[in-house]
Amino acid sequence: METTNNLLINILPFTFPVKEQDFTFQTEQKEGFCPIHKGDLEGLIEDYFSKEELVQTEWLYSDFSLPKDGEVSIRVDLTKSVHFASHYYRYLIRSYFKEIADIIHLNFTNEIEVWFKAPQQPDKRYNIYNKFTLKVQHKRVSDGPELVVSFDGTSKVLVQSIKDLVDFPTDNFKWVNCNGELHWYKYMPPHFKQDTSKLFPVVSNKLKPFFGIIFDKPDFTNRYPKYKNILENFYEAHLNNVDFRNIIPIPEDGFLKVEHDNILKISDDSAQLQFGTSLGTEPKYDLMKFGPYKPIHQNNVYFFFIYHTPDKDLAVKKLYNFFIKGFPVQKDADHFEYVFPNMADFIHQPFHIEATGNIGFDSIETAVETVDNAIRNTKRSEDIKYLAIFVSPVSKFEKDPAKLNIYYRIKETLLKHGISSQVVYKEHIFSKSFNYFLPNIETAILAKLGGIPWRLNRTVSSELIVGIGAFYSTTRKSRFLGSAFCFNNEGIFENFNCFLSNDTDTLAGSIRKAVMKFLIDHEKADRLIIHFYKDISKNEITPIINILHKLNLDIPVIIVTVNKTESKGLIAFDLDSEGKFMPVSGTIVKVGPFEYLLYNNTRYTDKSVINGKEYHFPIKISFSSSQPLLLKNPLLIQELTDQVYQFSRMYWKSVSQQNLPVTICYPEMVA
C-alpha cells in the first residue's frame, strides 16, 4: 500500500512562558480555584502550612493571581508540576479569549471552548457560531507542552431572548448564552435572571420544532479541506500575534509537521480481500468482478415486499425492476445502458419474488399489526429461504421515535418467524444515484441469507476477540452494551449478547462463557483481546480479570480502546494529496504513549475514486494491558492495529470501507 509521509497535525507545540512562578495557595477550594496535589509541592509548602493542615488535605488550591501585599506565596517549577502548569495555561488562554470570543465555555473535560459568529447568517431566527476547542497537553507528540486546536462544527443560538419567549416551557432549554458565557439552564446561577433579555437559548433538536427550524442532515462531503481552512483561518486571526505569544509562545510556522518516526502504516496484506475467483482491495468494484467469496448455501430463495399501499405502483415497482433487470441509464432516446447488473448476477443467486406473499399496509399506525397478522397466516415452505424487502415510507432522518421504530418492530416480528429483512427507504429509490445504493443493499441481502461477500486474505489465527459496543436509548434513558465474540480473524462471530451498561457482572459472565467455549474448541488460549468502545474503567475490567483467575487462566488481557466517534480533536492532513488532504487508508499516526490515529477510508492509492461518504475522519485507538510490559513490543502494537483495520474491512452492510471495526459497530447494532 502507498504511504503518506507529509502530514500536518492540528497541534501547536510551545515553550514554557516562564519556568518558575510565584503563586498563592489555600487549603479550601473556591470557585475559580485550581487544585494541585500537595505531593507536587513537597519541600516547598511545609514552611507555610501546619502539619495538621497538610494531614487533613491532599490538595491545595490557587486562582493563579499574583501575590498581593501580605500574602504568602510559593514558587512553583512549572516544568516539573506539569499538571498544575496545564491548568495555569488554560487560565491564561481563557483570560485572553474572554476579551475577543463571542461565547466562551469550559467543556465537560474542562478544556476551553470558544465560539465566534460565522460570517454567513442565512436565517434571521438564529445566529450560527463556529466552535473551537483549545486543549493543553504535555509531551504527547513533542518534548514539551502542546496546544491542540480543533474545530467542533457549528451551533445555532436563537436571536430571541428568554424575555421574548413568554409562557414558554422552559424545561426544553438546555444550554443558554448568558452574556458571553454558556450555562446549562437547569443549573444556571440565579443572578443571570436579573436581566433575562441577555439570555439566549442554544438551539437543540428539542427546541427546533417549536420554531420550525429544520433538522440538520449529516455532511457527507469531503470535510478535510474545509476543516483545514477553518483551522488555519482561526490560527491567523486569533493566535498568530504578539499578544497571544506573550502568554503562550507558539511557533511562528504554524501547525506541527508530523515526524516520520510517528507515521506508521498497516501491513501490506491487511487490505487484501479474498473474493470468489480472485483477490481484490475495493469491494465496490471487486465484488462485481470476482463474485462473492461464498455464495448463499440455500438454493431456493424467495423474496417478498412489505410496503405502504400508496407506494406499490411507483416505488415498489421501480425497485422490483432494479432487482430483476439492473439499474438503467438512458444514453439516447431509444437506448438504455445498465450500469449496475440485476441482483441474481451480482450476488450469484437465482431467486424468485413471490408476488402473492407481498404485504401492504394502509397506514403507518397499523403497519406492525398488519405485517404480524400476514406473517402468522401465511404458510411457507421449509425448503425455501425467505427474505422480506421493506420499502419504508419513513425517512431515515425521521425524528419521531414512534415512526422511526416501525422498521425495528417489523424486523422483530419477521425474526420471530426466522425471516431476514432488508429496509430500502422510499425516497432513495427515486434518486438518480440509486445505482450507488444498490451494491450496499444487495451485499447486505447476500450476507443476511448466509453468503460471505468477501473475507480477509490472511492465515486464520485462533484467538478470542471480544467486541463491546454501546447504544444510548433516548426513550428508556439508559445505555445498553452489546457484545460480540469472535474466535479468529475472519470476522465471523460466534455469539452476541446485550445488557445494561452498569451490569459489569453479566458482561464478565458472558466473557466467561465465551472463554470456556474457546477452550473446548482450541484447547488453550494465549491472550484475550477486547475491543472496547471507550476507555475501560476499573469497575468494568476487574470482574473480567477475576473470572480469568477463577478459571486458572494466567493469560494477558489486552484492551484496544476504539473511540466510537470519529476524531475531530486530532486530525492529520496529507499535504501531498493535491488539495483533498485525506491521508491514505491504513495510515497510522502516533499521538501519545500507546495512542494512535488510524485512517480507514477508500483512498488506497492516489488514483482511487472516492465518494463523498467515504471521506472518513480517523478513529482514535489506544492500548492497555493487564501485563503492561507487553505493550513495549512494537510488533504487537502493529499486529493489534492491523487487526482493528482488518475488522473495519469486514462490514457487509456496505461495499465501502468503514472507519469503525465490526467488533464495535455490530455490537452497537445489537444493543
Side-chain angles (χ1 to χ4, degrees):
M1 292 186 68
E2 294 189 7
T3 307
T4 300
N5 289 315
N6 190 11
L7 295 180
L8 187 77
I9 196 166
N10 58 322
I11 292 175
L12 295 166
F14 63 94
T15 55
F16 290 96
V18 291
K19 292 189 176 180
E20 295 183 340
Q21 176 105 359
D22 290 332
F23 297 96
T24 58
F25 292 93
Q26 59 181 38
T27 55
E28 292 183 10
Q29 186 173 21
K30 295 180 180 178
E31 186 176 350
F33 279 62
C34 169
I36 181 172
H37 194 272
K38 66 182 182 182
D40 290 344
L41 299 173
E42 191 174 354
L44 300 174
I45 56 177
E46 288 77 8
D47 294 337
Y48 302 107
F49 296 96
S50 67
K51 287 183 179 179
E52 290 77 12
E53 287 177 310
L54 294 177
V55 167
Q56 291 173 7
T57 183
E58 288 293 310
W59 301 91
L60 298 174
Y61 303 91
S62 175
D63 66 350
F64 308 114
S65 59
L66 293 174
K68 300 178 181 65
D69 291 341
E71 286 187 331
V72 176
S73 65
I74 299 172
R75 175 146 291 207
V76 178
D77 186 340
L78 296 171
T79 65
K80 294 180 180 177
S81 299
V82 293
H83 181 71
F84 179 76
S86 294
H87 284 291
Y88 176 52
Y89 301 144
R90 290 189 195 102
Y91 163 77
L92 294 176
I93 294 168
R94 191 166 186 257
S95 300
Y96 171 83
F97 275 101
K98 258 191 170 182
E99 303 299 321
I100 60 174
D102 294 313
I103 298 174
I104 194 165
H105 174 55
L106 287 180
N107 64 20
F108 69 97
T109 57
N110 283 325
E111 304 299 346
I112 301 154
E113 198 174 279
V114 292
W115 295 23
F116 287 91
K117 196 175 288 187
Q120 304 297 323
Q121 299 292 337
D123 196 312
K124 293 181 180 179
R125 293 172 294 177
Y126 52 77
N127 289 317
I128 299 175
Y129 291 85
N130 288 323
K131 303 184 298 184
F132 301 88
T133 296
L134 297 106
K135 178 182 178 181
V136 177
Q137 58 187 32
H138 191 72
K139 286 188 176 180
R140 309 295 283 180
V141 296
S142 67
D143 295 329
E146 301 159 0
L147 181 64
V148 180
V149 183
S150 58
F151 172 56
D152 297 324
T154 62
S155 276
K156 302 177 179 72
V157 178
L158 287 177
V159 297
Q160 285 181 286
S161 69
I162 288 178
K163 181 180 177 66
D164 300 325
L165 301 173
V166 180
D167 193 24
F168 192 86
T170 56
D171 57 320
N172 290 287
F173 296 147
K174 190 171 183 183
W175 292 101
V176 177
N177 176 17
C178 304
N179 203 23
E181 293 181 9
L182 276 190
H183 286 276
W184 199 351
Y185 183 79
K186 186 177 179 180
Y187 303 109
M188 184 181 69
H191 70 267
F192 282 108
K193 289 186 288 186
Q194 298 287 4
D195 188 355
T196 54
S197 68
K198 294 182 179 179
L199 306 180
F200 299 92
V202 177
V203 180
S204 63
N205 284 342
K206 201 173 180 181
L207 278 184
K208 286 175 182 175
F210 287 97
F211 301 96
I213 298 172
I214 62 172
F215 290 96
D216 298 321
K217 290 190 176 182
D219 181 6
F220 291 127
T221 60
N222 179 9
R223 295 167 291 171
Y224 281 86
K226 180 175 77 173
Y227 271 61
K228 182 173 180 290
N229 184 55
I230 290 174
L231 287 172
E232 288 178 338
N233 287 344
F234 178 82
Y235 167 79
E236 291 295 340
H238 305 298
L239 306 179
N240 189 20
N241 59 66
V242 174
D243 290 341
F244 189 76
R245 285 195 175 88
N246 282 339
I247 60 168
I248 304 292
I250 58 174
E252 295 191 2
D253 55 354
F255 292 110
L256 182 69
K257 290 279 189 73
V258 183
E259 293 185 6
H260 285 188
D261 289 348
N262 287 334
I263 303 174
L264 313 170
K265 70 183 185 75
I266 56 104
S267 303
D268 289 337
D269 60 349
S270 288
Q272 283 196 329
L273 300 172
Q274 177 67 62
F275 295 91
T277 60
S278 182
L279 294 176
T281 57
E282 301 192 53
K284 61 183 175 183
Y285 303 119
D286 295 334
L287 181 58
M288 189 156 54
K289 271 196 295 187
F290 306 129
Y293 173 69
K294 280 187 181 177
I296 299 161
H297 179 73
Q298 176 64 262
N299 289 327
N300 297 314
V301 173
Y302 280 20
F303 297 152
F304 62 93
F305 286 100
I306 298 173
Y307 52 83
H308 191 204
T309 305
D311 297 331
K312 178 181 179 181
D313 292 335
L314 288 177
V316 176
K317 187 175 181 180
K318 199 174 186 71
L319 183 59
Y320 170 85
N321 286 330
F322 290 154
F323 285 162
I324 298 298
K325 299 178 181 178
F327 189 87
V329 172
Q330 192 159 10
K331 306 304 289 184
D332 54 49
D334 301 316
H335 296 90
F336 288 90
E337 179 182 326
Y338 284 91
V339 295
F340 186 77
N342 65 66
M343 182 157 57
D345 288 345
F346 184 72
I347 68 173
H348 290 222
Q349 174 63 45
F351 63 86
H352 171 60
I353 296 181
E354 189 182 37
T356 57
N358 292 342
I359 304 170
F361 52 88
D362 295 329
S363 72
I364 294 174
E365 289 72 22
T366 61
V368 177
E369 183 182 356
T370 301
V371 172
D372 187 53
N373 288 334
I375 295 295
R376 289 176 185 276
N377 295 315
T378 301
K379 188 175 181 180
R380 303 190 188 277
S381 170
E382 294 182 0
D383 295 328
I384 296 173
K385 184 77 171 176
Y386 294 92
L387 184 135
I389 309 291
F390 176 42
V391 179
S392 176
V394 180
S395 168
K396 193 174 185 179
F397 303 108
E398 171 65 53
K399 295 299 178 181
D400 183 346
K403 290 182 179 178
L404 199 60
N405 285 337
I406 285 172
Y407 167 59
Y408 299 104
R409 292 174 63 196
I410 288 175
K411 189 182 187 77
E412 180 184 21
T413 295
L414 293 166
L415 286 174
K416 286 178 181 177
H417 294 272
I419 299 172
S420 299
S421 60
Q422 175 64 39
V423 65
V424 180
Y425 293 97
K426 182 183 73 173
E427 72 267 24
H428 292 168
I429 297 171
F430 298 99
S431 168
K432 292 181 180 179
S433 59
F434 190 64
N435 58 309
Y436 296 112
F437 289 83
L438 281 170
N440 298 334
I441 293 167
E442 295 180 12
T443 300
I445 288 172
L446 169 67
K448 288 174 181 179
L449 290 171
I452 300 179
W454 58 82
R455 58 150 286 186
L456 298 168
N457 183 40
R458 297 293 294 265
T459 302
V460 177
S461 62
S462 296
E463 57 187 356
L464 178 56
I465 303 160
V466 180
I468 310 291
F471 171 76
Y472 182 78
S473 171
T474 54
T475 54
R476 299 190 184 185
K477 306 298 181 187
S478 299
R479 184 175 298 280
F480 293 87
L481 295 185
S483 62
F485 301 95
C486 184
F487 290 173
N488 55 49
N489 61 352
E490 287 190 285
I492 298 172
F493 293 95
E494 299 285 337
N495 192 13
F496 290 96
N497 277 310
C498 182
F499 29 80
L500 284 167
S501 61
N502 59 1
D503 193 355
T504 55
D505 289 337
T506 302
L507 171 61
S510 66
I511 290 176
R512 177 186 181 278
K513 289 180 183 177
V515 171
M516 293 293 290
K517 185 176 187 306
F518 184 86
L519 291 174
I520 291 170
D521 293 343
H522 300 88
E523 295 184 2
K524 69 171 187 174
D526 295 323
R527 63 191 182 193
L528 170 62
I529 299 171
I530 300 177
H531 290 181
F532 213 76
Y533 72 101
K534 66 174 183 66
D535 291 331
I536 196 167
S537 68
K538 185 177 180 181
N539 288 339
E540 290 161 331
I541 190 61
T542 299
I544 297 171
I545 299 294
N546 291 340
I547 285 288
L548 294 178
H549 283 318
K550 288 179 181 178
L551 294 173
N552 293 318
L553 286 177
D554 187 21
I555 60 172
V557 180
I558 299 174
I559 310 296
V560 184
T561 300
V562 184
N563 283 81
K564 183 179 145 182
T565 53
E566 295 176 315
S567 173
K568 294 180 183 176
L570 283 172
I571 304 177
F573 302 92
D574 182 1
L575 300 182
D576 292 337
S577 64
E578 297 183 2
K580 293 192 171 70
F581 301 121
M582 183 171 70
V584 170
S585 186
T587 299
I588 305 163
V589 183
K590 192 171 191 288
V591 292
F594 312 119
E595 291 184 359
Y596 301 83
L597 297 180
L598 173 61
Y599 284 84
N600 288 347
N601 55 60
T602 58
R603 188 188 165 210
Y604 305 109
T605 71
D606 283 332
K607 295 179 181 179
S608 295
V609 178
I610 308 167
N611 296 323
K613 289 184 179 182
E614 297 169 351
Y615 282 97
H616 297 305
F617 276 179
I619 58 170
K620 190 175 181 182
I621 59 175
S622 57
F623 302 94
S624 59
S625 175
S626 60
Q627 298 178 17
L629 286 177
L630 287 175
L631 301 180
K632 299 286 186 181
N633 181 359
L635 294 179
L636 176 63
I637 296 294
Q638 176 77 54
E639 180 185 347
L640 295 172
T641 306
D642 277 8
Q643 194 176 76
V644 172
Y645 183 83
Q646 290 160 21
F647 275 110
S648 74
R649 309 226 66 202
M650 297 306 295
Y651 188 80
W652 290 334
K653 290 186 68 178
S654 171
V655 292
S656 296
Q657 180 164 342
Q658 305 300 296
N659 60 341
L660 279 176
V662 291
T663 43
I664 296 296
C665 54
Y666 281 178
E668 180 188 353
M669 292 175 198
V670 173

